[in-house]
Every structure is written in structure tokens, then in C-alpha cells.
């Protein structure tokens, strides 16, 4: 039982961004914000609402950070731009990660959920 409580969550694959700071993510259009983790290379790819992002992440135990992120620079509908700003701001606050059933919770240093992801 002790081993399962302390093991790293499985990040692999594509995760839809469901909530940021407790608010549902809504965007105009068919493509919804997501992050996709390449666990073999510690890389992340995704869509933030208007733009594509790519970069790296670090996971040590449950300590988690995004780093060296780059995005394209396209504009879009205001609702999508707002969603994108919220996603990118939240990514900068992430300090730890935990699995919660079918969801992945990204938390800040105060253990407050800043992003909720689902498959």
C-alpha cells in the first residue's frame, strides 16, 4: 500500500484540459485545449485555445514543473484567447501532480488545484 501512495502518476498520452482554477474551459471551435505527454523524452505538446505549444516537463516523485515552453503566436476569438491566457498562467504555477481516478490534477505550491485534466 505504501508503494502505491508514493508512486508517480502515469502522465502518458493525451489529456484534455477540463478546468483551470476551478472554472470549466470553454472555447469556440472544434479543437479543445489539451496537453500530450511524451514520458520517454519528458516532452509536452498541446493546444492552448488558439496556439500550439511544445516544451519540456520535469517529474520527480510528485514534484512537477513545465519548462522551456514555446507557443505559436496566432490570435483567435476573445473567448479562446482568454482560455489560452488562463492555461498558460496556470502552467507557470504548477508544482505537483496527482492522479484522481480518471483525472490528473496539477497543483500549485499551496496544493490548490490549478488545472484538471481528463482523458
Amino acid at each position: 500500500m505504501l508503494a502505491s501512495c508514493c508512486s508517480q502518476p502515469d502522465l502518458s498520452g493525451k489529456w484534455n484540459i477540463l478546468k483551470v482554477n476551478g472554472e470549466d474551459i470553454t472555447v469556440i471551435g472544434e479543437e479543445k485545449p489539451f496537453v500530450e505527454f511524451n514520458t520517454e523524452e519528458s516532452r509536452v505538446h498541446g493546444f492552448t485555445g488558439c496556439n500550439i505549444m511544445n516544451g519540456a516537463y520535469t517529474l520527480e516523485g510528485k514534484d512537477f514543473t513545465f519548462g522551456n515552453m514555446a507557443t505559436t503566436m496566432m490570435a483567435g476569438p476573445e473567448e479562446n484567447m482568454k482560455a489560452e491566457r488562463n492555461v498558460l498562467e496556470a502552467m507557470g504555477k504548477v508544482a505537483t501532480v496527482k492522479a484522481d481516478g480518471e483525472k490528473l490534477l496539477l497543483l500549485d505550491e499551496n496544493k490548490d488545484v490549478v488545472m484538471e485534466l481528463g482523458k
Side-chain angles (χ1 to χ4, degrees):
M1 189 73 159
L2 183 60
S4 66
C5 80
C6 301
S7 64
Q8 292 182 336
D10 181 15
L11 301 179
S12 61
K14 182 177 177 180
W15 295 83
N16 296 311
I17 301 173
L18 305 175
K19 294 184 180 193
V20 175
N21 296 317
E23 294 184 24
D24 291 338
I25 286 290
T26 57
V27 294
I28 297 168
E30 292 186 27
E31 189 168 19
K32 305 300 180 202
F34 71 89
V35 292
E36 187 169 359
F37 296 99
N38 176 333
T39 55
E40 291 179 13
E41 298 178 10
S42 296
R43 303 286 302 164
V44 65
H45 166 77
F47 177 68
T48 58
C50 293
N51 289 286
I52 300 297
M53 66 174 175
N54 289 292
Y57 71 89
T58 303
L59 177 63
E60 295 176 2
K62 291 188 181 183
D63 293 338
F64 180 93
T65 54
F66 290 102
N68 300 324
M69 299 300 291
T71 65
T72 56
M73 301 289 288
M74 303 293 291
E78 182 54 37
E79 188 170 351
N80 294 27
M81 298 286 287
K82 179 183 175 193
E84 178 169 275
R85 284 189 300 272
N86 291 340
V87 166
L88 293 172
E89 182 179 298
M91 289 175 74
K93 295 178 181 178
V94 175
T96 187
V97 61
K98 75 175 187 176
D100 183 22
E102 296 292 315
K103 295 180 182 172
L104 196 62
L105 304 178
L106 305 179
L107 301 94
D108 65 14
E109 62 185 19
N110 297 318
K111 305 295 186 229
D112 294 324
V113 177
V114 293
M115 293 179 72
E116 183 179 311
L117 311 177
K119 288 232 173 171

